[in-house]
Amino acid sequence: MTTSKINPDNELYYPADTLGLEAEEMRRLGHKVVDLVVDRLMRKNVEDAVLTGSPADLMALLGAPLPNKPMDPDASLALLAEVALRHQQRGDHPRYFARVPGPSSFAAVLGEWLGTGFNAIAASWAGGSGPATLELIVIEWLWQLMGFPEGSEGILVSGGSHASLTAFSVARSVYGKGVVYLTDQTHSSLVRNLREMGWPKQHIRILESDENYKMSMECLTRAIEEDRVAGRRPSMIIGTAGTTNAGTVDPLHEIADICQQEDLWFHVDGAYGGPAAITQQGRQYLSGIERADSLVLDPHKWLFQPYDVGCVLVRRPGALEHCFSMNPEYLKDVEAGAGEVDFRNRSLELTRRSRAVKLWMSLRTYGIERFRKAINHGIKLAEFAEAYLRSRPETWEVITPAQIGVVCFSLKNGTPRQHAARAKALSDSGYACVSSTKLKDRSVLRLCTINPLTTEEDVMGTIDYLETDIGCSTILGRNCS
């Protein structure tokens, strides 16, 4: 058993590692991890944009009998770096355009490492006043950037799904359970949240979006009127600030006006698109986002943080605590006092790691102007991609114009089978990765260009590759047409 010792200064000390690694070995391995990470970041552009392994191969390489005895940590680190962590999507690859990339910044990685190394916890003020203060500061910075009023509150969670679940719980605690309105372009996780929270199917009104894939005010007002006539009580409208499919933004001001007139909760899903509001052009797209009762952001997307960190902002002081607060007898000695915050009482998480450390570190290291420049770059790249597609009308058709970093396009008379095959051929090549998706009944290809390291040459090369039939017959066993 490990015991405490007396050091040369006659002070009692304990070994640095809980389970017995010596301090010098800890330093050596830690430095090796830093080298592995930085080396990988320096060569990320020549790695596969996405690499997927077979279950059998990965289990053969990574699996082993239960290790009763110590194994070589250098060999384990090599397996992690060269096998386990190599087989995944490279969200920070400059030609990873699928879904929504996650191009994290190194200062944020430093904050994450430090928070993990210090085993930071952000549950109660008494148990983690420093990490709690960081979270309060970061939340305040975020609501200032989004234009929320003084006194707004929030919490950091795992991502947009959990953030929206948190917001819906608060909305229900304020308004009770009633009819919720959203569109066929709303992220599917939000419908899942409502369903799992017990909303009846008939109280989840999924409205058909208009020809621009935005919420139709005509459909919305008609649905609200129909529900009131039928004796149902409307309670919440969900707007999207950057749909995952097309980057479209619902008419936020008009929705906010209806919520004000009808006394409804206004929730905005800005998981990927919301941070664009810190730029001049993005603010034009997202005007009205500041009027939301609750707003969701995913800093691990367009605020360049490593996974995971989501955020929910609420404009009503005390609403989060009113919904989630619990103070059982076994937590009485760590109950917050005046001016203190127990973040365990702002969501369903009781044990919470500190996600604020990386945000605080990166916002201070780079400054907001660098974030603005990086986001502007992503907006402009999508516009460049649109222009390049339009310059090749014999091959491509632009389906939705560039909107806050997303553009959707189709092969001339392209079929779902063709689009899926070409997207797969591209990702299998390792050169780049794009999404194939559907807008209503229309099959499209989609680029999401939010990585600050992506160049115009990366965009052109990706589109050029998609023009070829390379790999299609192999993928489908027949001609792609």
Side-chain angles (χ1 to χ4, degrees), residues 142-213:
L142 290 176
W143 63 246
Q144 287 177 358
L145 288 170
M146 293 297 105
F148 266 47
E150 188 76 28
S152 297
E153 296 178 349
I155 188 167
L156 301 178
V157 293
S158 63
S161 299
H162 190 177
S164 285
L165 177 68
T166 302
F168 296 163
S169 297
V170 174
R172 183 175 60 182
S173 73
V174 174
Y175 279 95
K177 193 179 292 185
V179 183
V180 178
Y181 306 87
L182 57 159
T183 81
D184 52 18
Q185 298 303 306
T186 303
H187 198 281
S188 57
S189 67
L190 277 65
V191 177
R192 181 179 65 181
N193 284 343
L194 293 167
R195 185 179 66 241
E196 295 305 317
M197 290 177 69
W199 251 274
K201 184 177 180 180
Q202 65 271 25
H203 286 182
I204 304 174
R205 294 291 299 268
I206 302 176
L207 308 175
E208 182 178 0
S209 55
D210 65 17
E211 66 277 8
N212 296 313
Y213 308 101

Side-chain angles (χ1 to χ4, degrees), residues 301-330:
K301 294 186 173 100
W302 224 348
L303 285 176
F304 315 114
Q305 304 298 300
Y307 300 120
D308 60 18
V309 55
C311 173
V312 58
L313 301 174
V314 177
R315 69 167 49 240
R316 304 188 184 205
L320 285 162
E321 282 87 352
H322 175 75
C323 177
F324 293 106
S325 183
M326 64 168 192
N327 292 292
E329 66 281 358
Y330 47 81

